[in-house]
Amino acid sequence: EAAVTQSPRNKVAVTGGKVTLSCNQTNNHNNMYWYRQDTGHGLRLIHYSYGAGSTEKGDIPDGYKASRPSQENFSLILELATPSQTSVYFCASGATGHTGQLYFGEGSKLTVL
Amino acid sequence: AQSVTQPDARVTVSEGASLQLRCKYSYSATPYLFWYVQYPRQGLQLLLKYYSGDPVVQGVNSFEAEFSKSNSSFHLQKASVHWSDSAVYFCALSIGTNTGKLTFGDGTVLTVKP
């Protein structure tokens, strides 16, 4: 059974609209991450969290907010979506002390028109 | 800043042939290195990792990788590929411990011909 689940899996939004991508993990990992993947490119880190109530900026945080209300849940929020944010977004979890060993969800494809 | 380069965007091999996917990194010290695989419509899965020690590391599904400090490389290899190995392969590095903050290469699309 999937240990990292994302919703929605597909989303079409309008420019200027608000988008929330949700992630739930049952791995009981402290660390969670949001990456985006653009066609033909690797993943880039947007935000991450080391535990409930904490969020940190990754390499490309502009235009995004994150929320970690609990150990299991980590959301990515686009307050004012733009077409440049059209991408596939991946959530991942990782255990403390396990450098680089991440468990990814299946991705959320976001299209901003 | 650190970076990862995968010079081959696409690789096609025949089933049963050997495989090498190339990865070069740029970082002033020795990073932690990883190979991930992405099957169609799925998230990434860890194939193998290198932290230190023996430069040849074994991974899942008979994949292995060799770290070379002198060449700043971490190439992925497999002796005999199967059609089910068709996927996108990503090389990644971490410069810190206890973190999932990874820098990824652009990926190599592997197609295995029957």
Side-chain angles (χ1 to χ4, degrees):
Chain A
E1 76 208 48
V4 179
T5 56
Q6 299 180 223
S7 64
R9 295 291 311 280
N10 288 280
K11 172 75 176 179
V12 179
V14 296
T15 298
K18 182 177 181 178
V19 177
T20 299
L21 304 179
S22 300
C23 178
N24 176 275
Q25 56 106 355
T26 58
N27 296 320
N28 197 31
H29 289 160
N30 287 333
N31 307 331
M32 295 187 74
Y33 306 83
W34 276 106
Y35 285 87
R36 66 176 279 177
Q37 182 183 33
D38 299 305
T39 303
H41 295 284
L43 282 69
R44 292 180 292 169
L45 181 64
I46 306 170
H47 283 289
Y48 60 100
S49 168
Y50 288 143
S54 87
T55 60
E56 305 289 341
K57 294 181 178 180
D59 298 324
I60 53 165
D62 292 346
Y64 302 94
K65 294 182 180 179
S67 174
R68 182 88 182 268
S70 66
Q71 176 86 335
E72 299 79 18
N73 295 295
F74 190 38
S75 297
L76 186 68
I77 303 154
L78 292 67
E79 296 278 4
L80 295 170
T82 68
S84 64
Q85 294 175 313
T86 294
S87 189
V88 180
Y89 293 85
F90 287 96
C91 176
S93 73
T96 301
H98 292 208
T99 301
Q101 298 182 62
L102 299 182
Y103 295 81
F104 284 84
E106 295 185 335
S108 296
K109 184 175 181 179
L110 172 65
T111 302
V112 183
L113 302 176
Chain B
Q2 69 277 10
S3 66
V4 176
T5 301
Q6 294 180 246
D8 304 308
R10 295 183 175 273
V11 171
T12 300
V13 297
S14 297
E15 192 167 27
S18 63
L19 170 71
Q20 182 185 72
L21 301 182
R22 297 184 292 164
C23 173
K24 300 271 287 184
Y25 69 88
S26 175
Y27 184 55
S28 55
T30 299
Y32 303 100
L33 293 160
F34 308 87
W35 277 98
Y36 277 84
V37 62
Q38 184 179 31
Y39 297 105
R41 295 172 295 282
Q42 295 186 26
L44 281 70
Q45 302 171 31
L46 181 65
L47 271 181
L48 47 77
K49 61 186 183 292
Y50 173 77
Y51 287 169
S52 64
D54 189 338
V56 179
V57 292
Q58 306 295 324
V60 300
N61 201 18
S62 302
F63 283 94
E64 67 177 34
E66 183 168 5
F67 167 69
S68 171
K69 185 174 183 178
S70 60
N71 294 323
S72 298
S73 67
F74 189 55
H75 300 330
L76 182 70
Q77 299 168 345
K78 188 171 184 178
S80 176
V81 296
H82 187 265
W83 65 266
S84 60
D85 292 325
S86 296
V88 183
Y89 291 80
F90 291 96
C91 183
L93 68 80
S94 172
I95 62 173
T97 57
N98 191 27
T99 179
K101 295 169 60 180
L102 297 175
T103 299
F104 285 87
D106 287 344
T108 297
V109 178
L110 174 65
T111 301
V112 180
K113 297 189 299 183

